[in-house]
Structure formats: C-alpha cells, structure tokens
C-alpha cells in the first residue's frame, strides 16, 4: 500500500476534472450568450419602436403604452411571485419533524433534500417564472386598464341596475381581469403549498390517520377560503355580465335571466361568502367537516339554482307564452342595438317601385343624376395597369377606389388609384439589394378615370394620367413613398448635393435618361449612426444595412409603410377600416383611413362577429384587408385618419366628438387626436361614409329595421343581403354565397331634392327567394347636413320585384343580349364577356338596374377589360346599348307608368319590329356561320339544318314588316349560287321590301 497503490489513481482523477471542466465552463457560457441575445433582441424591438414613434411625432403614444405595460408587468408579476414564494416559505418552515407517512418511493425524499440544499436557487427560479408569467399576462391587458383608468360617462343610465353605461363598457371588463388574476394567484399559491407540504411530509393523502399536519390544514384552509371568496365575487359580477350574455333569441337579460338567473347569482354569492367563512373558521377548529359541508351545499346550490331553476322556468313558464314573456326584453334589446350601432335615425319609406312617370319624365329623371358610375373599380384594375403602368415595376391594386372630384363646374364620381412601385416585378437580372432597397424606393403619380364615361374603344376616360402626371386634378407632390404595395423597407436620403440614386421616373420630361431623386421628407428613422444601423440590421435580419456604402450619415429607413399599418400603430386603440383610399388634398397625395372605436360590453345590444359582418366578395382580395375575428356590440366611426403618401406623417381627427369611448382614449393619449374643426375644406370634400361600418349596420338592419317586439320575435319580416350575382362570372365558387358588396354612387332618394354621393345596398327576403324587398342608402357626403342618415325604401310584399340575382339572370338569358355577346364569347374569338357591378338605384318611382359588360382577352400577355355594353332593367323590361344613354332610351321607350305597354308599342314580351329584325338577322348570321363550318367538315345533314334555321330567321324578319334597304345588315357570305358539293335545294335569301 505504501508502494503507490493509492497514488496511481490521482492522475486519472485530475484528468477527469480537467476534461470535465470544459463542459462545465462551456454550458454557462452558452447559456449566458443565449440570455444576452434574447435581451438584445428585446432591446432592439423596444428601441426601434421608440425611434419609429419619434419619427411620426407620436413619442407620447410609445411612452404611454410602454409605461403602462411595464407597470402592469411588475405590479401583477411581483404580486404573483411574492404570493407563491411566500406560501412555499410558509409551507417549508411549518414542515413537520416527522413525515405523516412514508414517502411514496425510495428516491422521493431526495427531491426534498435537493431543494433544501438548493433552496434559494429553486425559490429564485420559481419567483422569476411567476414574475414572467404573471407580468406577461398582465401587460397584455394594458388597453383594458387604460380604458378603465380614463373612463368617460356615457350619460345614459341602465334601467336594470341603475348604472351608467360606462360601468359596463369600462369598469366591468377591468373587474373581470382583476378577478382572473386573483384566481391565478390563489390557485398557484395553493398548488405551491400542496407540493411543498407533500415533499416534506406535511401532506400525505395515503396516510391512514391524519392526512395533513395542523400547519398544512391552516394554510390550505386560508387559501381555499380566498378561492371561494373570489367565487362569490365572480357570482356578483355575473349579474352585470347578464346584460351582454347571448340567449337563444338575443343578447341581454331575458325573462328567465331576470327572474331566475339573476336572483340565483345573488343567492349563490351569499352562499359562497358563508362557505368561505367556514374555511376561514377551519383555521381555529381544524376539521374539514364544516368546510366540506359548505362546499357540498355550494355545489348543490349551483346545480339547483344556477341550472335547474332557470331551465324549469324557461320550460314551464316562458316557452308556452314566449312572445308575451320576452316582449319587454326584446324591446330593450332593439332599442339598445339601434343606439349602440348608430341606427336610431334610420328612415323607412314605403316605396311602390311602380313608376307613374312617362318615358320622357323617366329620361329627364335620369338626366338629373350626375352620371351613373359605369367604371367598375373591381374590374378595371388590369386596364389601369396595362394602359397606365408605364413600366413593369409599377403596379395598381386589384380593386380600385371611388371618390369625388370637382372638374370644371361639376363634381364627378371618380375611380382612382396610386401608381406604386413593386420590386417583385423587376426582372431577375435587376434584383439585388441595392436596387430593391435604395433605387426602387417609391411610386409616382395618381391615375383617375371619370366613373360615368368611356372612350370610343371602351377604355376609361382619364381625368389624371401618364408619367409625369397630367390631367384635371391639379398640381401635387407625385412621389409615393408610403402606400399599400410599398417595399418592406427602403434606405433613402443623402447629403445635400450628393449623388441621387433613387429612381424617380423611367425617363425625363422630354425623354432620355431616367430621372433620379433624393428623399427630402422626414418620414423615416435616421440610420446614419453605427448603433442605429446595427439595430436595424438586427431587426430586418439584413447585414447589408450595416455593411453597404449606400447607407450614409444622412440616410433614413422607411418601414411599416402601409397606411392601415401606420394608423394601427399610431392609434393602437382604433380598429381601422379594411380599405384605405387615396386622395389629392392641398397639393399632397394622402391616404384616408376610417378608424372605429368598438366595444363588446354595451348592455342589451346585439353582438355580431366583426369579420363575418364585413365580409363580401371584395374582402381579402388585393389590398382590401379582412377585419379581425372578434365580437362587438358597439361601434362608432370616431376618427378620420390621414397618412401622407410622401412623408408618412399620420394625422388623427376626431370625427364623432360625442363618442365616450373616443373621449376616454383622448384622455389616455392627450394631444394625439386633433379636433374636427382642424379638418381643412379640401380634406372634408374627400371624406366619405366608411364601408366596413356600413356593412355592420346593414347586417343588423336586416333584422333591426323592425321595432315591434311581436314582429321581431316572429321573424316574419327578416331580410338578408343577397349573394353577389357576378361572383361566379368573376371566378368565385358558386356555392360560397358571399354577400354582394355595397356600392358608392351618386343618386337621388325620393325625399332628396338633388343627387348625393351615397353608399348603397339592397335586401332580399330571408326565405329561399331572391326578389327585392328593400333598397338602402346612406348619405356618404361628409359635407352634407344629412351625412350618415340611413334611408330604406321598403318595397311592397305583395308584388314580385326582381332582385339582383333575378335581374342578372334576365341579362344572361335575354336573346338580344346573348346575341350581342355571342361574338365576344365564341371560343374562336379568344375573348370573354366579364360582367361588372350590378348597380341598383331608385328612379321615377321605380328601380333601375345598371350593369356594365366588359370584353377581356382570355389568353396572351397584356390583356385587360374594355367596356363594351351597358345593360339596364326597369320594371319588366331589359335593354342594352353601347352607351348608357342608348340603353336608357331603349328601356324607357317601351316602359310606362303602370307597367303596361304604351299605345302603339309592343308588349313587354314582344320587342319592337326594328329590334326583331336585328335579332332575326343576327340569328341568321350565326346559323349561316355554323352551316359553313358543317360544310367544311363534310356534315351535310347539319349543313342542311343550319340553312333551314337561316331561312326561318329571315322569314321572321320579313313577317315583322321591316323594309330592308341595301344598307340593312344581312348575313355575311350569303351564297348566290349553290356550292359545287352536294347542297340543300335552296340557299338562304335576304328579305326584300
């Protein structure tokens, strides 16, 4: 042993320590690096957010949101961490000297020993986890907290609880949040106490005798008492929650809710308080008998009072006479819903839809309109792109926008779009970092077309076009740095006198080389310093920002560039409309975004899903965003937001200054929303009624136009928005039944002296019928004293008036229209007919339908739709023409006041003689062409049959009494001699006088 037997193992042990020291040193190093990277990532996100808000002069928004989130994070997080850690320490210090029962497994005690040895570390880890868990959850509730902290009274008192509406909208949600945090803190503390007592033997469910030590019983009793006390508070809050609960019929308190659920909640709250007292008493008595009895009583009471009593009352008393029992509650729901959605002033007018005007009167009424919009903004996007794109890297959205512009002495409905840059369209050889982010940085100019005009070739009549822009909309800054299709980020700006690199226009004013530009606005974040470049290289995950020589001391980075996104960040309490629209205002191109304040806690008001109510065939297509999936029962268009397309500045203007929710947020973010009086006249002329809010309101008015509780209950006058009849022709699934979108157009309602820019929609019955039941329009002109007034023309229920789907079917099946479209739709033509928006508007006591039809090539590059025909329907008549005036002349010439044919005119089902001749000769031409194809194919039987059809059509023209002059169109290629191959006995002949 003295010869070194015990010395030899020393070297391997030193080797193990040496070799083992590396991983022991490496793991902490890796962990430290990971933590540092996480912290730097969080810092980068926070600091770049601060820089962005400062760039738009809204640093107060950032500081308010960040300060509120940090406050909630530490207050709730520390409270949760302290409660859990305190209960662990109490359980540990009151542990018994001897366990109540052996541990469940031999190695189980080692966990307790390990925790005892590493107690401070374990407690620190648990405290950190609780801090992060509780703080993160709490910081996400900053909106609820700020709304409660700055709440503004509505000035309307709930008659059931005698509380201002503000209690339900602001106080109740915050109390619910506090209750949720209370539950979490107590439950986590209870779990921590149970685990600690279990580890150290103070709690053993498997023990034969005493299962918990005296200290454990005291701690458990107190925590369970607090838990039941919170349940009592929950029952008490539930009473107020009944005002926004959904029953089978409506949102709000029902008869059963008032007479069974409400008193049961009050009784259960009292029982829960008594039960909590029994748990607290167990601290002294230390027996689970009384708390157990109290818990059983509470559970049974919850079953009997909370479930069985309401069910029995509903079944035995309400259901047999439900219309009578629920009548006052339905009335309350109707009144609250109309108030919460701004529908109180809706005017319903009985409209016969049976014209009493003469054809000349109808023509005069049509002339009063400033022009029925024929250019469909959902169709002509490719036309704008092909005719005004100029270069392949410019683009227009799929769906364009409708606005009004004064051109000369008239205000015209105008289809408008912004020419934006889209780097994805650059050729592959031009795609590199410098081009993508420093050269192709902005779009250029606005393109606009008169909504009611078409050129001779069917293309739009431009009121603003070309590059550089020319037209009738005045001078303006044409550079578009902020838009709906802007690049994700661009590096712009440079020193004065430095070399410009940003592409301005593909060539100069008089041709030649491209013109270049250097951004001079203030809409970006400075990235001239190394620190900011490092931050944004991290944020954008792009090292080129740090390495490129294109980034100079005067550079700025532009990002978050879409108007909707900028408004969401500038006012995070707003819900922006899904369709921002551009306008030229005071020499600047701006984006106008409607902002909504919403709530889901307005008492007794009907709840709707915002995404479902606003969805139609245009939603989610192109740049039109879909609303979030959330329930609301209150909405106001409280803010008009304006985003400058050049410098990205965001201006928020109070629109509904009486909205208590807006007032609340203006107190939370003082100075961020400007008063309505600051809106300039030029901007005011372009503001309009918002589309998404209109969709929500029309969805509700389908049912809430009824104010009588009995009729409302019976659903005997329920309407619905019809499916878009043109969706199938536009490529949509015919089974989807997506709602028809509303349309902006200028029209004159029966009680209006002159036409107004309006947003319109129609209704059909909720049953499986497609006849028209109502037409609705809201005055969308912001300068009008009637702005926002809803007018509904209610049609008689005993008269069959065709709805959009039925009129569309008429257009599709009318012989004359089919014949006119036949040359377009023939496979050999390489084109197809595309039907535009089907507009409905009241005219002369009746309803006029107007639909443009476009021709678009089906294959090949550069195809775009051109307007070919205008289809109209009035009463029982349909007609078409190459212009609107031609179509109206045709339909009015054969329509009179009573719906009967005028004297000396054919009946509605019999077209006039000259039209019959045209139809017959067109059919003869079609048959003749088919005959020639059969002859070339050697099918003599088919050739004979088609020639017989030619003769029949010509005979019908002769029978109509039309005298065909030498210039009358006849089937081209009519043979004068029989063909050399076997042929029928007599070729077709032309009609003669």
């Amino acid at each position: 042993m003295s010869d070194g037997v015990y010395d030899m193992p020393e070297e391997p042990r030193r080797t193990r320590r040496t070799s083992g020291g590396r991983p022991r040193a490496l793991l902490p190093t890796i962990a430290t690096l990971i933590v540092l990277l996480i912290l730097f990532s969080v810092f980068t996100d926070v600091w770049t957010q601060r820089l962005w808000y400062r760039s738009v002069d809204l640093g107060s928004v950032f500081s308010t949101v960040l300060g509120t989130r940090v406050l909630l994070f530490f207050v709730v997080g520390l409270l949760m961490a302290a409660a859990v850690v305190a209960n662990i320490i109490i359980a540990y210090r009151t542990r018994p000297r001897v366990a109540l029962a052996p541990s469940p497994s031999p190695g189980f005690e080692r966990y307790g020993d390990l925790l005892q040895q590493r107690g401070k570390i374990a407690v620190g880890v648990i405290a950190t986890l609780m801090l992060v868990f509780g703080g993160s959850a709490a910081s996400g509730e900053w909106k609820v907290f700020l709304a409660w902290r700055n709440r503004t009274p509505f000035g309307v008192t709930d008659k059931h609880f005698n509380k201002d509406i503000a209690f339900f909208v602001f106080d109740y949600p915050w109390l619910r949040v506090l209750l949720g945090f209370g539950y979490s803190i107590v439950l986590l503390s209870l779990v921590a106490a149970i685990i600690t007592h279990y580890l150290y033997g103070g709690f053993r469910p498997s023990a034969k005798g005493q299962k918990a030590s005296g200290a454990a019983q005291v701690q458990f009793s107190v925590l369970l008492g607090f838990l039941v006390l919170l349940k009592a508070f929950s029952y008490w809050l539930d009473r107020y929650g009944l005002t926004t609960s959904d029953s089978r019929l409506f949102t709000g308190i029902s008869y059963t809710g008032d007479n069974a659920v409400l008193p049961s909640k009050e009784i259960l709250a009292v029982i829960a308080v008594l039960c909590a007292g029994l748990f607290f008493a167990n601290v002294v008595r230390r027996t689970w008998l009384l708390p157990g009895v109290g818990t059983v009583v509470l559970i049974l009471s919850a079953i009997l009072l909370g479930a069985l009593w309401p069910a029995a009352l509903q079944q035995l008393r309400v259901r047999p006479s439900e219309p009578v029992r629920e009548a006052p509650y339905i009335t309350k729901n109707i009144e609250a819903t109309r108030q919460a959605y701004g529908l109180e002033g809706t005017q319903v007018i009985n409209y016969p839809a049976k014209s009493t005007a003469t054809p000349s009167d109808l023509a005069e009424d049509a002339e009063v309109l400033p022009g029925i919009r024929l250019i469909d903004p959902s169709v002509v996007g490719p036309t704008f792109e092909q005719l005004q794109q100029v270069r392949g890297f410019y683009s227009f959205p799929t769906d364009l926008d409708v606005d009004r512009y004064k051109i000369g002495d008239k205000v015209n409905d105008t289809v408008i779009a912004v020419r934006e840059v889209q780097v994805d369209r650059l050729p592959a050889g031009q795609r590199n970092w410098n081009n993508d982010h420093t050269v192709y940085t902005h779009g250029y100019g606005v393109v606009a077309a008169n909504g009611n005009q078409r050129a001779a070739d069917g293309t739009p009549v431009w009121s603003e076009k070309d590059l550089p822009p020319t037209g009738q909309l005045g001078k303006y800054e044409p550079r578009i740095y902020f838009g709906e299709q802007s690049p994700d980020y661009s590096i712009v700006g440079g020193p004065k006198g430095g070399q410009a690199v940003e592409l301005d226009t593909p060539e100069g004013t008089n041709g030649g080389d491209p013109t270049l530009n250097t951004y001079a606005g203030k809409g970006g974040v400075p990235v001239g310093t190394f620190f900011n470049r490092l931050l944004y290289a991290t944020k954008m995950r792009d090292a080129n920002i740090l390495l490129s020589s294109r980034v100079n001391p005067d550079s700025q980075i532009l990002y978050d560039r879409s108007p909707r996104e900028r408004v969401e960040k500038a006012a995070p309490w707003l819900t922006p409309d899904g369709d921002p629209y551009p306008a030229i205002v005071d020499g600047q191109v701006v984006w106008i975004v409607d902002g909504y304040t919403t709530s889901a806690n307005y008492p007794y008001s009907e709840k709707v899903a915002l995404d479902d109510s606003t969805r139609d065939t245009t939603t989610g297509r192109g740049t039109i965003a879909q609303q979030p999936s959330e329930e609301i029962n209150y909405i106001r268009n409280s803010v008009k937001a304006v985003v400058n397309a050049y410098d990205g500045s965001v201006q928020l203007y109070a629109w509904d200054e009486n909205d208590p929710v807006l007032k609340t947020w203006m107190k939370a973010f003082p100075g961020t929303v400007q008063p309505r009086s600051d809106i300039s006249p030029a901007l005011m002329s372009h503001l309009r009624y918002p589309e998404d809010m209109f969709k929500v309101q029309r969805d509700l008015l389908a049912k809430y136009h009824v104010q009588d509780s009995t009729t409302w209950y019976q659903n005997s006058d329920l309407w619905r928005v019809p499916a878009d009849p043109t969706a199938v022709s536009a490529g949509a699934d015919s089974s989807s039944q997506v709602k028809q979108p509303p349309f902006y157009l200028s029209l004159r309602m029966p009680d209006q002296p002159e036409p107004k820019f309006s947003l319109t929609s129609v209704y059909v019955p909720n049953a499986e019928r497609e006849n028209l039941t109502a037409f609705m329009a809201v005055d969308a002109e912001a300068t009008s004293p009637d702005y926002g007034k809803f007018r509904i023309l209610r049609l008689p229920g005993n008269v069959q008036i065709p709805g959009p789907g039925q009129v569309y079917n008429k257009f599709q099946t009318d012989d004359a229209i089919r014949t006119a479209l036949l040359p377009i739709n023939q496979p050999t033509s390489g084109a197809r007919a595309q039907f535009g928006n089907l507009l409905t508007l009241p005219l002369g006591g009746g309803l006029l339908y107007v639909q443009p039809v476009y021709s678009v090539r089906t294959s090949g590059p550069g195809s775009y739709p051109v307007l070919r025909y205008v289809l109209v329907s009035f009463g029982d008549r349909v007609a078409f023409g190459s212009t609107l005036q031609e179509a109206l002349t045709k339909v009015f010439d054969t329509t009179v006041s009573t719906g009967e044919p005028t004297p000396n005119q054919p009946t509605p089902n019999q077209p006039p003689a000259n039209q019959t001749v045209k139809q017959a000769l067109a059919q003869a031409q079609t048959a003749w062409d088919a005959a020639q194809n059969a002859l070339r194919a050697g099918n003599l039987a088919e050739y004979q049959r088609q020639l017989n059809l030619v003769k029949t059509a010509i005979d019908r023209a002769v029978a109509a009494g039309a005298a065909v002059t030498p210039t009358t169109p006849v089937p081209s290629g009519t043979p004068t001699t029989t063909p050399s191959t076997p042929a029928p006995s007599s070729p077709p002949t032309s009609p003669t006088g």
Side-chain angles (χ1 to χ4, degrees), residues 151-185:
R151 59 195 179 279
T152 302
F154 275 66
V156 179
T157 302
D158 162 62
K159 297 177 182 178
H160 209 103
F161 295 101
N162 198 31
K163 289 184 176 292
D164 190 274
I165 300 298
F167 171 81
F168 301 93
V169 175
F170 303 124
D171 294 3
Y172 176 76
W174 177 240
L175 292 174
R176 276 292 177 192
V177 169
L178 292 180
L179 179 64
F181 287 137
Y183 271 129
S184 298
I185 291 171

Side-chain angles (χ1 to χ4, degrees), residues 297-349:
V297 170
L298 180 60
I299 294 173
L300 291 177
S301 300
I303 296 173
L304 292 173
L305 299 176
L308 297 182
W309 180 18
L313 185 68
Q314 178 71 24
Q315 187 68 30
L316 301 176
R317 188 166 187 179
V318 176
R319 184 157 295 179
S321 54
E322 193 171 48
V324 177
R325 301 291 183 194
E326 299 289 13
Y329 304 98
I330 291 174
T331 300
K332 185 180 290 188
N333 170 261
I334 293 173
E335 292 174 352
T337 300
R338 291 171 68 90
Q339 290 170 0
Y341 291 96
L343 303 174
E344 311 101 301
T346 301
Q347 181 181 5
V348 180
I349 305 169

Side-chain angles (χ1 to χ4, degrees), residues 246-260:
D246 288 324
S247 66
R248 184 178 60 87
L249 293 175
F250 52 83
T251 299
I253 297 178
S254 62
Y255 181 90
T256 300
D258 191 13
N259 293 277

Side-chain angles (χ1 to χ4, degrees), residues 858-900:
T858 55
S859 61
S863 65
Y864 58 89
V866 294
L867 183 59
R868 292 293 299 272
Y869 296 107
V870 180
L871 315 182
V872 295
S873 173
F874 189 81
D876 293 331
R877 290 289 303 167
V878 297
F880 73 97
S882 56
T883 65
L884 176 62
Q885 187 58 49
E886 179 184 349
L888 291 176
T889 299
K890 289 181 181 179
V891 80
F892 291 157
D893 281 348
T894 55
T895 309
V896 291
S897 59
T898 62
E900 300 295 332

Side-chain angles (χ1 to χ4, degrees), residues 15 50 127 130 158 234 337 340 347 540 548 583 663 930 952 974:
T15 303
R50 175 179 176 271
M130 292 299 102
D158 162 62
S234 177
T337 300
Q347 181 181 5
M540 301 299 177
S548 174
K663 292 178 181 179
T952 300
T974 301

Side-chain angles (χ1 to χ4, degrees), residues 296-538:
V296 171
V297 170
L298 180 60
I299 294 173
L300 291 177
S301 300
I303 296 173
L304 292 173
L305 299 176
L308 297 182
W309 180 18
L313 185 68
Q314 178 71 24
Q315 187 68 30
L316 301 176
R317 188 166 187 179
V318 176
R319 184 157 295 179
S321 54
E322 193 171 48
V324 177
R325 301 291 183 194
E326 299 289 13
Y329 304 98
I330 291 174
T331 300
K332 185 180 290 188
N333 170 261
I334 293 173
E335 292 174 352
T337 300
R338 291 171 68 90
Q339 290 170 0
Y341 291 96
L343 303 174
E344 311 101 301
T346 301
Q347 181 181 5
V348 180
I349 305 169
N350 290 324
Y351 190 70
K354 191 174 184 182
S355 178
T356 58
T358 63
S360 60
D361 291 336
L362 293 173
E364 289 177 4
D365 283 348
E367 290 177 1
V368 171
L369 296 175
I372 300 172
R373 181 175 54 76
L374 301 177
I375 303 300
D376 185 350
S378 297
V379 172
V380 298
T383 306
F384 272 53
E385 190 148 297
Q386 291 300 321
L387 300 183
Q388 288 296 318
Q389 184 183 27
V390 181
R391 290 292 188 273
F393 49 80
Y394 288 127
S395 69
F396 295 95
T398 305
D399 290 77
L400 311 184
D401 293 292
V402 179
D403 200 354
R404 297 92 64 220
Y405 283 87
K406 188 173 183 179
I407 299 175
D409 296 331
K410 293 183 178 180
V411 177
N412 292 346
D413 290 358
T414 303
V415 177
I416 188 170
V418 168
R419 184 186 291 109
E420 296 195 54
V421 68
Q422 200 165 10
V423 294
D424 292 341
R425 295 189 173 190
L426 288 170
Q430 291 180 251
R431 295 298 305 275
N432 56 64
W433 187 88
N434 286 307
N435 279 347
D436 285 1
H437 297 290
T438 67
V439 176
Y440 296 93
T441 59
H442 61 281
Y444 205 94
V446 165
V447 176
N450 296 331
N452 63 331
Q453 292 179 311
R454 52 160 278 182
D457 60 352
T459 57
V461 175
W462 308 108
S463 54
E464 191 75 16
K465 61 177 182 177
D466 296 342
L467 199 158
T470 60
Q472 301 165 293
L473 303 188
K475 294 183 178 180
Y476 58 93
E477 169 57 62
R479 297 173 181 87
I480 311 298
Y481 281 91
F482 296 87
E484 294 176 303
Q485 302 182 77
S486 298
D488 55 350
Y489 78 89
S490 296
I491 307 292
V492 298
K496 291 183 179 180
Q499 182 180 2
V501 297
E502 301 171 39
L503 180 70
D504 214 24
T505 57
E507 58 184 44
T509 305
N510 299 316
D513 295 333
T515 59
L516 303 177
N517 175 66
T518 298
Y519 180 69
K522 298 181 180 180
V525 176
V527 287
T529 64
F530 175 81
F531 181 65
N532 282 6
R533 290 169 70 174
L534 175 63
L535 289 179
Y536 279 97
T538 304

Side-chain angles (χ1 to χ4, degrees), residues 1-10 13:
M1 296 175 67
S2 60
D3 59 1
V5 173
Y6 291 105
D7 296 335
M8 292 180 64
E10 294 299 322
R13 282 200 295 270

